[in-house]
């Protein structure tokens, strides 16, 4: 029997009962659609988090003072944890490591910023010129912090967009003076509006030279050192050398924590991918349910079509032919259902994408392919029993019993 | 052509063994026209199913065209049915969703014959039974006699040597029945071996050889 004829005969049977075919197809569609939409949502969430991470910089290595460790465990060690400060000199030393593209020391604090009678609380970032590029900030007006020695406390500042708007309104802020804490700073630039990034809003921040911030907060230490490596491949190497260098500078004590953006990113990536897979897997259960439905309907169909099956056998159809007919029938329904499901899933993803514009909702290709394959496989698998039953029907009996 | 050697067939009904066919031996030459007659339950249909390879004997041997077909497996007997045997049934057994031409073409489809050749052969077959104009009619649009003629055309589509008809006129009025028997006899005259099961004495009388059955045994075998 020709394959095309097998398909034509199977299709004829399906077309004869359009409602039955459509209903089973719909069950399949819902299953496939659910997988597509849910994985699209999962991937959207993953994409969103990764995007947020990428927005704070690329090939980033972050040095944090202090080290989380258990102390006093070994007998005889009576000293507690000693944390040395991270200093500007440390940052300058790190900048000289090979494969380091840029280094920005960072001090963070809150301070009152006033202009005339206007005043408000702002997040104060003390840093150096490279911060702009390392943190992927965008300049609005004027200039960023001037390059030069990091220990120079030049009284200049760069305002976040919201601070600028509230203090200066529509007036030109460049060259204007503001008071931060007990010092006066000249505005040399503003940041473009960027909104929230990883929970931090640069719009409400004010950037001043790190040395000025240390004087303002009266501290010799740094909050963080941000390092950008030259390329992704250099990240582990720079991390190791930074650790070694700081250990050397801190009298052999490894008292800093160095984290890489990659490591954090990879962890989030793993968690979110697992979540997507889990959600997709749960949705795939409905494909199994649709498969059972196909089996049920096919079993009824075999019982109803005993005479036709017997006839086909009398006319020379082998058990193999009969089995193929029923399997193709199930496969066709499953394929139709899967196609409908993909359409349904894409449409729903599109709508969701409109409802949550900040989530990059696109159904992943692997999920679509897997859902379609699972649907067709489930259809064929669950049709196996009915098809076998049809193939084994006693031709003589099915022809005489009416 | 047909050599049946002490063929028997038992069925299990509940916990009882029912002997539907008791050691029937039969020899049929090519081109014969045979009527099998007997009361219901006498084993006529069982015999016909054995001859048509739709069923297997529980004991004895069956050879068709000089070939022992007793122990053929499922696929092989399907092939023999397809190539050598044509069936005509009391209830026609046309596929309701297929038109007359497609019903006639079914055995050709199962045999994997190309669509172009199929079309040509179907047209000829329908012309042979006088239904060329009804090719695209569904079974529901045809009369009983026409349905049986479509079924006969289908049975002949692979040019089988053996034509088995199980009460082909059982569902038709007398006049239409005669007409259908005329078509079958015409095929027999062109060389096909024709075996007909019938209750109808008049039709039985038309056959050249009559086999009477009772209780699973052949009780008479007369030729005219």
């Amino acid at each position: 029997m020709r394959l095309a004829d097998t398909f034509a005969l199977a299709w004829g049977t399906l077309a004869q009962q359009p409602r039955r075919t459509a209903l089973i197809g719909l069950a399949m569609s819902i299953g496939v659609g659910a997988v597509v939409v849910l994985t699209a949502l999962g991937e959207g969430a993953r994409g969103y988090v990764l995007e947020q991470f990428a927005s704070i910089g690329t090939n980033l290595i972050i040095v944090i003072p202090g080290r989380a460790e258990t102390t006093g465990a070994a007998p005889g060690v009576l000293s507690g944890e000693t944390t040395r400060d991270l200093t500007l000199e440390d940052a300058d030393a790190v900048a000289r490591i090979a494969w380091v593209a840029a280094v920005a020391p960072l001090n963070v604090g809150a301070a009152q910023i006033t202009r005339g009678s206007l005043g408000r609380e702002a997040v104060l970032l003390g840093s150096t010129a490279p911060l702009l590029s390392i943190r992927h900030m965008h300049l609005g007006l004027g200039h960023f912090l001037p390059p030069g020695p990091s220990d120079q406390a030049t009284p200049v500042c760069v305002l976040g967009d919201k601070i600028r708007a509230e203090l200066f309104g529509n007036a030109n802020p460049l060259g204007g003076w503001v008071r931060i804490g007990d010092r006066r700073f000249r505005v040399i630039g503003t940041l473009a509006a960027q909104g929230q990034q990883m929970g931090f809003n640069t719009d409400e921040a004010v950037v001043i030279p790190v040395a000025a911030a240390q004087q303002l907060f009266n501290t010799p230490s740094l909050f963080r050192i941000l390092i950008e490596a030259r390329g992704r491949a250099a990240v582990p190497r720079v991390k190791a050398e930074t650790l070694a260098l700081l250990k050397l500078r801190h009298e052999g004590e490894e008292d800093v924590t160095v984290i890489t953006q990659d490591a954090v990113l990879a962890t989030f990536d793993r968690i979110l991918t697992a979540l997507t897979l889990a959600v997709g897997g749960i949705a795939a259960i409905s494909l199994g349910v649709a498969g059972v439905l196909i089996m049920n309907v096919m079993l009824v169909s075999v019982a109803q079509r005993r005479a036709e099956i017997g006839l086909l056998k009398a006319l020379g159809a082998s058990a193999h032919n009969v089995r193929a007919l029923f399997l193709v029938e199930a496969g066709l329904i499953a394929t139709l259902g899967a196609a409908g499901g993909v359409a349904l899933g894409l449409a729903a993803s599109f709508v969701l994408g409109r409802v949550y514009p900040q989530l990059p909702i696109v159904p992943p290709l692997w999920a679509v392919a897997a859902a379609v394959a699972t649907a067709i496989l489930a259809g064929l698998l669950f049709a196996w029993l009915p098809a076998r039953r049809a193939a084994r029907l006693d031709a003589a009996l099915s022809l005489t019993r009416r | 052509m047909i050599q049946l050697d002490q063929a028997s067939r038992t069925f299990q009904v509940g916990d009882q063994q029912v002997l539907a066919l008791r050691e029937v031996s039969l020899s049929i030459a090519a081109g014969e026209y045979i009527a099998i007659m007997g009361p219901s339950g006498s084993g006529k249909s069982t015999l016909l199913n054995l001859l048509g390879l739709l069923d297997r004997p529980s004991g004895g041997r069956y050879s068709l065209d000089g070939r022992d077909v007793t122990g053929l497996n499922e696929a092989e007997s399907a092939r023999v049915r397809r190539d050598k045997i044509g069936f005509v049934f009391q209830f026609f057994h046309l596929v309701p969703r297929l038109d007359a031409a497609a019903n006639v073409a079914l055995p050709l489809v199962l045999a994997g014959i190309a669509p172009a050749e199929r079309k040509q052969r179907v047209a000829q077959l329908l012309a042979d039974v006088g239904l060329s104009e009804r090719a695209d009619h569904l079974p529901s649009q045809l009369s009983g006699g026409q349905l049986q003629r479509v079924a006969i055309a289908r049975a002949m589509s692979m040019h089988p040597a053996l034509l088995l008809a199980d009460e082909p006129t059982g569902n038709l009025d007398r006049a239409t029945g005669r007409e259908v028997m005329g078509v079958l006899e015409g095929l027999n005259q062109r060389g096909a071996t024709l075996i007909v099961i019938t209750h109808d004495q008049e039709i039985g009388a038309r056959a050249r050889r009559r086999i009477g059955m009772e209780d699973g045994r052949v009780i008479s075998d007369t030729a005219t």
Side-chain angles (χ1 to χ4, degrees):
Chain A
M1 196 172 175
R2 289 160 172 259
L3 195 62
D5 287 329
T6 307
F7 272 89
L9 264 184
W11 178 246
T13 315
L14 293 180
Q16 201 207 0
Q17 289 161 301
R19 190 180 305 169
R20 191 198 74 158
T21 306
L23 282 177
I24 318 175
L26 183 66
M28 266 297 171
S29 295
I30 291 172
V32 172
V35 172
V36 170
V37 171
L38 289 176
T39 49
L41 265 179
E43 282 290 288
R46 193 175 73 97
Y48 175 72
V49 170
L50 298 195
E51 205 175 76
Q52 289 285 304
F53 263 98
S55 72
I56 64 164
T58 37
N59 307 321
L60 212 55
I61 298 158
I62 301 164
V63 183
I64 305 170
R67 181 159 194 89
E69 64 181 346
T70 311
T71 55
V77 180
L78 295 172
S79 61
E81 186 184 10
T82 52
T83 304
R84 283 167 190 77
D85 290 334
L86 264 184
T87 60
L88 267 180
E89 290 74 41
D90 286 340
D92 289 340
V94 167
R96 286 191 290 273
I97 294 176
W99 297 102
V100 167
V103 170
L106 190 64
N107 255 330
V108 179
Q112 186 75 13
I113 175 166
T114 53
R115 174 180 177 247
S117 59
L118 295 171
R120 62 164 289 153
E121 190 89 352
V123 178
L124 210 57
L125 300 177
S127 192
T128 53
L131 181 71
L132 186 73
S133 65
I134 291 178
R135 267 299 311 264
H136 291 186
M137 291 172 168
H138 300 286
L139 212 53
L141 301 167
H143 303 280
F144 198 65
L145 299 178
S150 58
D151 54 0
Q152 224 161 56
T154 325
V156 293
C157 68
V158 178
L159 301 182
D161 193 60
K162 192 171 178 189
I163 306 286
R164 173 201 61 78
E166 297 202 350
L167 294 186
F168 287 90
N170 287 327
N172 179 15
L174 296 182
W177 288 89
V178 293
R179 180 170 284 278
I180 301 174
D182 55 355
R183 287 155 189 266
R184 292 210 316 152
F185 290 84
R186 196 164 63 87
V187 179
I188 56 167
T190 66
L191 295 172
Q194 253 181 305
Q196 205 91 356
Q197 286 174 317
M198 286 300 289
F200 181 74
N201 196 343
T202 51
D203 293 354
E204 292 178 32
V206 175
V207 188
I208 58 173
V210 66
Q214 285 184 328
Q215 289 170 8
L216 208 65
F217 298 139
N218 190 23
T219 171
S221 70
L222 293 174
F223 176 64
R224 296 278 187 272
I225 300 175
L226 306 180
I227 308 166
E228 187 181 325
R230 285 184 209 275
R232 200 188 176 93
V235 169
R237 197 174 141 177
V238 170
K239 180 187 174 184
E241 286 193 27
T242 304
L243 257 180
L245 178 75
L246 291 179
K247 186 177 175 182
L248 205 68
R249 290 181 57 85
H250 291 188
E251 287 116 35
E253 190 93 35
E254 203 173 290
D255 59 359
V256 294
T257 303
V258 180
I259 56 171
T260 61
Q261 186 189 16
D262 271 14
V264 181
L265 207 69
T267 305
F268 268 94
D269 197 14
R270 269 203 304 280
I271 293 171
L272 289 165
T273 302
L275 206 68
T276 304
L277 283 177
V279 168
I282 291 168
I285 291 174
S286 59
L287 289 177
V289 174
V292 173
L293 186 68
I294 286 194
M295 175 155 82
N296 192 14
V297 170
M298 295 294 276
L299 281 174
V300 172
S301 172
V302 170
Q304 282 174 341
R305 284 152 65 193
R306 292 179 69 95
E308 184 184 328
I309 297 162
L311 169 78
L312 285 175
K313 288 193 149 190
L315 296 182
S318 61
H320 172 80
N321 291 148
V322 173
R323 191 167 47 231
L325 264 176
F326 277 85
L327 285 180
V328 165
E329 223 174 273
L332 277 174
I333 295 184
T335 309
L336 279 180
V342 169
L344 206 70
L346 289 180
S349 304
F350 178 78
V351 171
L352 276 174
R354 283 298 171 92
V355 177
Y356 303 106
Q358 64 272 39
L359 287 188
I361 295 181
V362 175
L365 202 63
W366 61 262
V368 174
V372 169
T374 310
I376 295 173
L377 210 70
L380 292 180
L381 213 65
F382 281 103
W384 191 261
L385 184 76
R388 201 181 59 166
R389 183 169 289 188
R392 285 186 178 176
L393 269 188
D394 186 314
L397 271 181
S398 15
L399 275 170
T400 46
R401 193 190 291 172
R402 286 187 52 90
Chain B
M1 177 190 200
I2 288 174
Q3 194 67 46
L4 211 53
D5 227 6
Q6 301 201 314
S8 49
R9 179 72 171 97
T10 51
F11 289 104
Q12 187 82 32
V13 179
D15 51 357
Q16 237 182 332
Q17 291 264 335
V18 177
L19 264 168
L21 219 54
R22 300 168 195 248
E23 301 192 343
V24 170
S25 294
L26 209 55
S27 177
I28 297 171
E32 275 199 81
Y33 175 9
I34 296 171
I36 301 178
M37 306 182 69
S40 43
S42 60
K44 307 182 303 278
S45 292
T46 306
L47 177 61
L48 203 75
N49 286 338
L50 285 189
L51 293 179
L53 287 175
L54 285 177
D55 200 357
R56 288 178 191 211
S58 316
R61 279 161 39 91
Y62 172 26
S63 73
L64 178 65
D65 258 352
R67 178 186 180 195
D68 188 349
V69 293
T70 323
L72 287 190
N73 68 25
E74 194 277 334
E76 286 167 333
S77 52
R79 181 176 291 266
V80 173
R81 282 198 297 271
R82 191 183 76 192
D83 296 339
K84 294 197 171 162
I85 304 168
F87 289 93
V88 176
F89 308 96
Q90 179 181 0
F91 297 105
F92 322 129
H93 284 305
L94 297 180
V95 180
R97 71 185 145 80
L98 300 179
D99 65 19
N103 266 293
V104 173
L106 265 182
L108 303 174
V109 167
L110 292 171
I113 289 166
E117 192 191 338
R118 237 152 56 195
K119 205 173 170 189
Q120 201 184 335
R121 276 166 75 167
V122 167
Q124 182 59 46
L125 287 158
L126 281 172
D128 286 350
V129 295
L131 284 174
S132 291
E133 287 98 71
R134 310 271 170 183
D136 55 353
H137 285 211
L138 289 173
S140 55
Q141 299 165 311
L142 296 172
S143 71
Q146 290 170 332
L147 289 174
Q148 198 58 298
R149 279 190 280 157
V150 172
I152 292 169
R154 178 181 66 192
M156 292 309 295
S157 60
M158 292 292 290
H159 304 302
L162 177 60
L163 202 50
L164 302 174
D166 191 350
E167 305 209 32
T169 62
N171 248 9
L172 303 172
D173 62 59
R174 198 155 278 273
T176 321
R178 276 199 204 105
E179 195 185 310
V180 163
M181 284 315 295
V183 175
L184 287 172
E185 284 160 8
L187 293 169
N188 171 245
Q189 273 153 27
R190 280 193 261 159
T193 309
L194 176 61
I195 302 178
V196 182
I197 288 183
T198 184
H199 280 300
D200 191 330
Q201 294 296 333
E202 182 195 324
I203 289 169
R206 294 167 70 142
R208 287 193 295 277
R209 179 178 169 191
R210 282 170 301 284
I211 295 174
M213 290 192 73
E214 218 176 278
D215 275 341
R217 288 194 186 88
V218 173
I219 53 160
S220 67
D221 191 344
T222 54
T224 37

